[in-house]
Amino acid sequence: MSSSAQPVYIKEGILREGLTQGIAFHDWKITSKKAPICNSTEMEKFVLRIRNFACLLRSNPYRLQKDFGLPPPEMVFGNNCVTLKKGDFEISLNAYDALSRVDTSSTSSENLKVAYAEEWTRKSAMNHTDVKDVVKPYDWSYTTDYRGTCLADFESSPTSMIDIDRLKRPEPILFYDENILYEDELADNGTAMLTVRLRVMPTCFLVLQRFFMRVDNVLFRINDTRLYHEFGNPYFVREYTSKEAHYNEILEKLGKGDISLLNDQNWVTSVMPDEAKTIIREKIKI
């Protein structure tokens, strides 16, 4: 398709039943579906689906254990989804598949507990909070390393293929949306949230899925998945990074600033250490 292709905008349904909005541009169909938070009936089906899916994942260290299942986060937007499709290639981002990547191994909760138990227990005692409420036999922070659902095989790339300079150019935004997949307040000890933002410009598009976690007095964690494509290029790019910082390290960056910034994902991201704990760079021919 030529560079003069005109975008076609998509809008289907209504929010209370499921609203899909998006854009068709340069042979791509990019959509974002939003629906209300799952009700009690949908949550029961969601939990059952997770437990049944566990039977298929017994060889996966992130399997969802059938004996107790994975209790879902407080707020699950199980009907929300972001989808990118061109020809036979398709990749989507959704809550169910993201939660299937939460670690439910017997030692999963130790990752936070062991590293910070003494400090956290002391802080919790001072605040009259029972730490047992959040130390559970699964990763109670709902951390996910989910990078999207796609049947195609990506190949690793040694260097970043996302053109940051291009993204900084003042290009018009043809389509923009924000979506939320799930959220939990970690028994009032912080927050864990998985969100998706996407923007389509005349020359490229970028999707950012972000898992943001704040455990008060303990830890910040940000897992970012970026999906990127420049129109006309024969490949699609996916990059995943995981960063962590001690709560006090970020608090020091705040100085005398507004404490509410600790809930601002963009601000926290801007002061996180440059060094990532994990980096995975991939591309696929399309």
Side-chain angles (χ1 to χ4, degrees):
M1 186 176 290
S2 68
S3 60
S4 61
Q6 294 299 309
V8 176
Y9 293 95
I10 300 164
K11 186 173 183 179
E12 302 170 351
I14 56 177
L15 185 57
R16 70 171 180 266
E17 297 175 359
L19 174 63
T20 298
Q21 298 184 90
I23 187 172
F25 192 43
H26 288 290
D27 293 333
W28 283 90
K29 184 178 181 181
I30 302 170
T31 58
S32 176
K33 180 181 178 181
K34 293 180 181 177
I37 190 172
C38 289
N39 57 37
S40 57
T41 300
E42 289 175 318
M43 288 301 294
E44 289 177 4
K45 293 179 179 179
F46 191 84
V47 173
L48 180 61
R49 185 183 179 195
I50 286 177
R51 287 176 177 169
N52 290 340
F53 189 63
C55 299
L56 304 176
L57 297 174
R58 293 194 178 279
S59 62
N60 189 326
Y62 292 88
R63 66 186 183 276
L64 303 170
Q65 306 229 1
K66 185 181 179 181
D67 56 350
F68 61 87
L70 176 68
E74 294 167 336
M75 290 174 280
V76 176
F77 295 83
N79 297 309
N80 289 8
C81 184
V82 171
T83 303
L84 314 173
K85 182 175 175 60
K86 180 181 181 182
D88 294 332
F89 174 77
E90 180 175 337
I91 185 167
S92 63
L93 303 166
N94 65 84
Y96 170 69
D97 290 343
L99 286 169
S100 76
R101 296 294 302 172
V102 174
D103 190 353
T104 60
S105 63
S106 60
T107 60
S108 60
S109 65
E110 301 298 310
N111 293 333
L112 277 174
K113 181 183 176 183
V114 170
Y116 301 99
E118 182 178 351
E119 177 181 3
W120 194 12
T121 301
R122 177 174 56 82
K123 295 283 188 179
S124 297
M126 292 172 61
N127 295 326
H128 306 289
T129 301
D130 188 355
V131 73
K132 294 180 180 178
D133 287 344
V134 288
V135 177
K136 302 173 182 178
Y138 59 92
D139 184 353
W140 44 266
S141 72
Y142 295 103
T143 295
T144 182
D145 62 357
Y146 178 60
R147 305 197 301 277
T149 303
C150 183
L151 297 178
D153 293 327
F154 284 77
E155 63 180 54
S156 62
S157 175
T159 58
S160 175
M161 302 183 71
I162 296 179
D163 190 338
I164 301 300
D165 291 334
R166 178 188 290 270
L167 292 173
K168 291 179 179 179
R169 296 175 189 170
E171 268 196 294
I173 297 178
L174 303 178
F175 178 73
Y176 176 84
D177 200 22
E178 296 185 19
N179 214 324
I180 181 170
L181 301 183
Y182 65 79
E183 183 176 1
D184 194 277
E185 293 185 354
L186 307 181
D188 293 327
N189 284 273
T191 187
M193 181 184 298
L194 186 66
T195 57
V196 183
R197 290 184 293 175
L198 60 154
R199 56 180 168 133
V200 181
M201 289 77 72
T203 62
C204 61
F205 65 77
L206 175 70
V207 177
L208 171 62
Q209 176 193 264
R210 171 165 290 165
F211 173 79
F212 175 83
M213 184 199 77
R214 187 196 80 248
V215 179
D216 292 335
N217 303 307
V218 179
L219 185 70
F220 280 91
R221 176 181 291 150
I222 295 177
N223 292 350
D224 282 346
T225 297
R226 289 177 172 82
L227 309 176
Y228 176 75
H229 176 70
E230 295 177 17
F231 297 121
N233 278 355
Y235 56 84
F236 175 87
V237 176
R238 177 169 67 180
E239 291 193 4
Y240 169 83
T241 59
S242 178
K243 292 185 176 183
E244 293 184 356
H246 193 281
Y247 183 91
N248 290 339
E249 183 179 350
I250 302 301
L251 188 63
E252 289 176 2
K253 302 281 187 179
L254 185 65
K256 296 182 179 180
D258 185 356
I259 194 71
S260 67
L261 286 174
L262 297 178
N263 293 319
D264 186 327
Q265 297 187 23
N266 291 330
W267 182 83
V268 173
T269 300
S270 71
V271 297
M272 287 285 281
D274 292 332
E275 184 178 354
K277 181 180 178 182
T278 304
I279 300 177
I280 300 175
R281 299 186 175 108
E282 303 168 295
K283 67 176 183 177
I284 186 172
K285 293 182 179 179
I286 52 174

